[in-house]
C-alpha cells in the first residue's frame, strides 16, 4: 500500500509561491478555487467570457478572466473542464499561452493517459483527484475536515512535481483526510472500471432488473421500488461506515443468509467475465476511442440511454412515492 500523506507530512510552500489558474468553474472548479483561495493561494479563474459560470465566479468574489489570459498569468494551470472539452481547449487556448516552466494539473488522468493532450516535455504534469463531488469537497473544507485525494505525476520537468501535487492537495484540504500516491494509468483505469461496472452502470442496471422482475411477477411497483431502490442507501451507508462485514452484521439473519447464499447466483462467474471484458476495453484504449473519437455519436448514444432511464417505470413510480411519503 502506498504511503498516506497527512497535513504534518506536507509543506504548502510549493503552491503558496505560485499563481494558480483554475480553468472551469463547475462542481470541482468552484470547490477547488474557493478552497485554494481560503488556503492563501493566489487564484485566477479562467472561463469563457459570458458563460454560465462567469457570474457565479464573480458572486464568489473572483474576477474571472478569459481562459487565455488566466493561463498567461499562471505558474500552475489546473484544468477542471469536462474530459471531452479538454483536448480542444488545450490545443487552442492553454497550450499556446502556457508560460515556460508552468505546471499542468488535472483531476482525472483520462486525457493524459490516452494521449489526447500532449504537454511540452519541460512541463510538470500532475494530478490531484479528490474522491468526492465538488460540493462535498467544499463543505468538508469549510467544516475543518477534508476528503481523500489521489495524487500522481506524469511528467516531472522540474524534479519537484510530487511536492507541488502534495501542496496542491493540502491547499484544497485533502491532507486533512489523507492523500495516496498512484499513477495516471492506475487512476484512470480503475476509475473507469468502477464507474462502468459497479458505481454507475452496475448498480443502475441491478436496480432496474430487480424492479422489473418483481413487477413482472405481479407485485406492486411501489413495493418493488422500496425493496430494490429506496433501501439501497441504508445498505450503502452501513458499508461505507464499517465495511461489508459491518453491513452483514447489521442486517437481519434472514437477510444475511439469503444474501450470502443467493447473491453469488445473481452476480456469478459470467458477470465477472463480463467485467474482465470491460476492463480490457479500458486498458486497450478501446473505450476512450469510442467515447472521445466521435463525440457527436457517443454523446447522442449517451443521451438515448439516459432518456430511456428517465422514461422507465421505476422513475415515475419513484417520483410519486418520494412525493407522497416525503422521502428524500
Amino acid at each position: 500500500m502506498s504511503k498516506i500523506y497527512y497535513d504534518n507530512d506536507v509543506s504548502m510552500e510549493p503552491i503558496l509561491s505560485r499563481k494558480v489558474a483554475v480553468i472551469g468553474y463547475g462542481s470541482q472548479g468552484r470547490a477547488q478555487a474557493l478552497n485554494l483561495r481560503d488556503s492563501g493561494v493566489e487564484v485566477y479563474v479562467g472561463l469563457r467570457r459570458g458563460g454560465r459560470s462567469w457570474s457565479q465566479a464573480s458572486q464568489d468574489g473572483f474576477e474571472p478572466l478569459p481562459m487565455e489570459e488566466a493561463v498567461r498569468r499562471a505558474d500552475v494551470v489546473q484544468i477542471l473542464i469536462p474530459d471531452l472539452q479538454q483536448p480542444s481547449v488545450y490545443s487552442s487556448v492553454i497550450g499556446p499561452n502556457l508560460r515556460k516552466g508552468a505546471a499542468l494539473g488535472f483531476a482525472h488522468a483520462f486525457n493524459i493517459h490516452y494521449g489526447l493532450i500532449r504537454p511540452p516535455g519541460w512541463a510538470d504534469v500532475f494530478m490531484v483527484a479528490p474522491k468526492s463531488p465538488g460540493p462535498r469537497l467544499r463543505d468538508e473544507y469549510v467544516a475543518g475536515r477534508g476528503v481523500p485525494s489521489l495524487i500522481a505525476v506524469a511528467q516531472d520537468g522540474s524534479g519537484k512535481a510530487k511536492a507541488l501535487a502534495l501542496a496542491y492537495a493540502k491547499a484544497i484540504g485533502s491532507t486533512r483526510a489523507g492523500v495516496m500516491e498512484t499513477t495516471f494509468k492506475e487512476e484512470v483505469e480503475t476509475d473507469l472500471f468502477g464507474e462502468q461496472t459497479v458505481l454507475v452502470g452496475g448498480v443502475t442496471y441491478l436496480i432496474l432488473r430487480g424492479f422489473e422482475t418483481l413487477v413482472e411477477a405481479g407485485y406492486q411497483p411501489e413495493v418493488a421500488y422500496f425493496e430494490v431502490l429506496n433501501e439501497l442507501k441504508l445498505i450503502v451507508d452501513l458499508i461505507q461506515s464499517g465495511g461489508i462485514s459491518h453491513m452483514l452484521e447489521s442486517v437481519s439473519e434472514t437477510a444475511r443468509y439469503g444474501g450470502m447464499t443467493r447473491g453469488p447466483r445473481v452476480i456469478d462467474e459470467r458477470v465477472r467475465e463480463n467485467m474482465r471484458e470491460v476492463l480490457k476495453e479500458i486498458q486497450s484504449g478501446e473505450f476512450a476511442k469510442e467515447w472521445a473519437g466521435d463525440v457527436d455519436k457517443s454523446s447522442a448514444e449517451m443521451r438515448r440511454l439516459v432518456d430511456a432511464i428517465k422514461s422507465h417505470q421505476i422513475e415515475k413510480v419513484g417520483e410519486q412515492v418520494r412525493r407522497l411519503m416525503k422521502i428524500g
Side-chain angles (χ1 to χ4, degrees):
M1 181 177 177
S2 299
K3 174 180 169 62
I4 307 296
Y5 295 89
Y6 298 102
D7 270 354
N8 291 338
D9 302 315
V10 177
S11 167
M12 209 151 58
E13 191 281 329
I15 199 70
L16 291 175
S17 62
R18 303 202 186 195
K19 299 174 183 178
V20 177
V22 172
I23 306 301
Y25 204 70
S27 172
Q28 281 291 332
R30 181 172 187 262
Q32 294 193 28
L34 290 169
N35 290 5
L36 288 167
R37 185 178 67 184
D38 288 353
S39 291
V41 178
E42 186 172 354
V43 180
Y44 304 121
V45 175
L47 301 170
R48 297 185 189 280
R49 186 181 294 277
R52 289 181 299 176
S53 299
W54 192 279
S55 60
Q56 179 65 68
S58 298
Q59 290 172 23
D60 289 339
F62 291 104
E63 295 183 8
L65 298 169
M67 290 184 185
E68 57 271 24
E69 179 60 25
V71 172
R72 282 196 290 266
R73 294 188 186 188
D75 305 301
V76 177
V77 179
Q78 185 75 5
I79 304 176
L80 295 173
I81 55 179
D83 286 336
L84 291 190
Q85 296 177 18
Q86 289 183 17
S88 62
V89 171
Y90 179 83
S91 63
S92 63
V93 176
I94 297 174
N97 292 289
L98 194 64
R99 292 167 54 174
K100 187 70 179 289
L104 286 169
F106 295 83
H108 186 33
F110 187 88
N111 283 299
I112 294 294
H113 178 67
Y114 292 114
L116 301 175
I117 292 177
R118 298 183 182 277
W122 49 259
D124 286 347
V125 179
F126 69 90
M127 176 185 67
V128 177
K131 305 313 292 180
S132 81
R136 185 176 174 214
L137 178 71
R138 178 59 179 165
D139 289 345
E140 289 294 288
Y141 180 95
V142 171
R145 300 184 297 267
V147 300
S149 282
L150 299 176
I151 66 156
V153 173
Q155 288 186 186
D156 192 4
S158 70
K160 301 176 181 179
K162 181 178 175 180
L164 178 61
L166 285 168
Y168 188 101
K170 183 171 183 175
I172 64 171
S174 284
T175 49
R176 298 172 181 176
V179 171
M180 181 182 294
E181 189 172 8
T182 183
T183 64
F184 273 58
K185 179 180 188 296
E186 183 174 61
E187 188 275 337
V188 70
E189 291 180 355
T190 57
D191 185 73
L192 293 175
F193 178 81
E195 291 170 350
Q196 293 174 21
T197 66
V198 180
L199 303 176
V200 179
V203 74
T204 295
Y205 285 97
L206 186 63
I207 290 169
L208 293 181
R209 299 301 175 250
F211 177 85
E212 291 163 357
T213 300
L214 288 175
V215 172
E216 288 169 0
Y219 299 101
Q220 293 182 73
E222 294 79 9
V223 174
Y225 173 85
F226 270 109
E227 298 302 336
V228 304
L229 191 155
N230 186 70
E231 293 190 24
L232 181 63
K233 183 181 185 302
L234 305 176
I235 298 299
V236 171
D237 285 348
L238 288 169
I239 293 172
Q240 185 181 46
S241 66
I244 295 173
S245 59
H246 170 67
M247 178 273 292
L248 292 172
E249 293 298 328
S250 301
V251 300
S252 71
E253 290 186 348
T254 303
R256 192 183 313 148
Y257 177 80
M260 291 296 93
T261 58
R262 270 57 177 179
R265 289 167 53 184
V266 177
I267 310 300
D268 60 8
E269 190 59 33
R270 291 173 301 171
V271 175
R272 178 147 48 184
E273 284 302 317
N274 291 336
M275 287 183 169
R276 288 176 179 140
E277 287 301 312
V278 169
L279 181 57
K280 288 178 183 177
E281 292 171 3
I282 293 168
Q283 292 171 327
S284 69
E286 182 180 344
F287 170 77
K289 183 178 180 181
E290 175 186 329
W291 172 229
D294 187 336
V295 175
D296 290 340
K297 181 180 178 182
S298 57
S299 295
E301 177 66 2
M302 178 179 65
R303 287 193 298 271
R304 182 187 71 80
L305 294 168
V306 172
D307 287 344
I309 298 293
K310 288 180 178 179
S311 63
H312 194 283
Q313 184 184 14
I314 196 171
E315 290 292 88
K316 299 172 183 176
V317 170
E319 183 179 0
Q320 294 172 347
V321 168
R322 291 190 296 270
R323 183 179 67 251
L324 294 172
M325 304 192 76
K326 296 180 175 60
I327 300 171

